[in-house]
Amino acid sequence: MSFTDVAKATGLSTSAAHQRVRRLEERGVLRGYAAVADPESIGLPLTAFISCTPIDPADPDDLPDRLASLPAIEACYSVAGDHNYVLKVRVSSPGALETLLAEIRAHGHVTTRTTVVLSTPFEGRPPAV
C-alpha cells in the first residue's frame, strides 16, 4: 500500500499520511513490512496446528529454542490450557507433515496433537483500532 493509498483511505494528504506513518514507526507501533507469499504457490499447501505437551513436565521450558531450526514451523505460541505450545506449520504434503511431527517429537521431547487446516477463510487481519 502506498502513501497515496493510505492518504485516500484516511482522508489525509499524502504528506500528512507519510508523517503519521513515520511517527507510528518511531513509536514502535508499526514494527515492519513484509511480503506475503501464497503458500500454495510456493509448494506449501498443507497448513496444520500442532499442540505440544512435554513428556516430562520437569524438563526445561525451552521448546522454542529446540525447534527453532525447523523451517516448516511458521509460528510458535506459548498457551494456557492442556498444552504448553501450539505451532503453526506449513508443509508440502501429508507425508511431509508426518516427517515434521517425528522431528518435533524427537527434538522437543513432547507429545503432539495435530489439527489439519481444511481452508482459510481469512488470515492475518489487522487488529481493530
Side-chain angles (χ1 to χ4, degrees):
M1 179 178 271
S2 71
F3 289 113
T4 304
D5 295 332
V6 173
K8 285 179 185 174
T10 58
L12 298 170
S13 69
T14 301
S15 65
H18 187 286
Q19 288 174 348
R20 287 206 183 170
V21 169
R22 184 177 44 80
R23 283 195 305 265
L24 290 170
E25 290 169 339
E26 289 169 354
R27 289 180 27 219
V29 174
L30 296 178
R31 296 187 305 183
Y33 302 90
V36 179
D38 174 55
E40 287 192 33
S41 297
I42 59 171
L44 301 172
L46 196 155
T47 302
F49 290 94
I50 302 170
S51 301
C52 300
T53 305
I55 291 173
D56 181 355
D59 282 349
D61 187 12
D62 61 351
L63 186 67
D65 294 333
R66 286 185 270 151
L67 300 181
S69 66
L70 301 176
I73 301 173
E74 183 176 298
C76 176
Y77 305 98
S78 174
V79 297
D82 294 336
H83 307 284
N84 293 46
Y85 289 92
V86 174
L87 312 173
K88 179 182 178 184
V89 304
R90 293 191 194 268
V91 293
S92 60
S93 66
L97 178 59
E98 186 174 25
T99 299
L100 178 62
L101 285 167
E103 290 179 287
I104 289 168
R105 291 177 188 134
H107 285 85
H109 200 242
V110 293
T111 60
T112 61
R113 181 170 182 245
T114 304
T115 302
V116 173
V117 174
L118 299 177
S119 69
T120 306
F122 56 84
E123 181 175 51
R125 295 184 346 168
V129 290

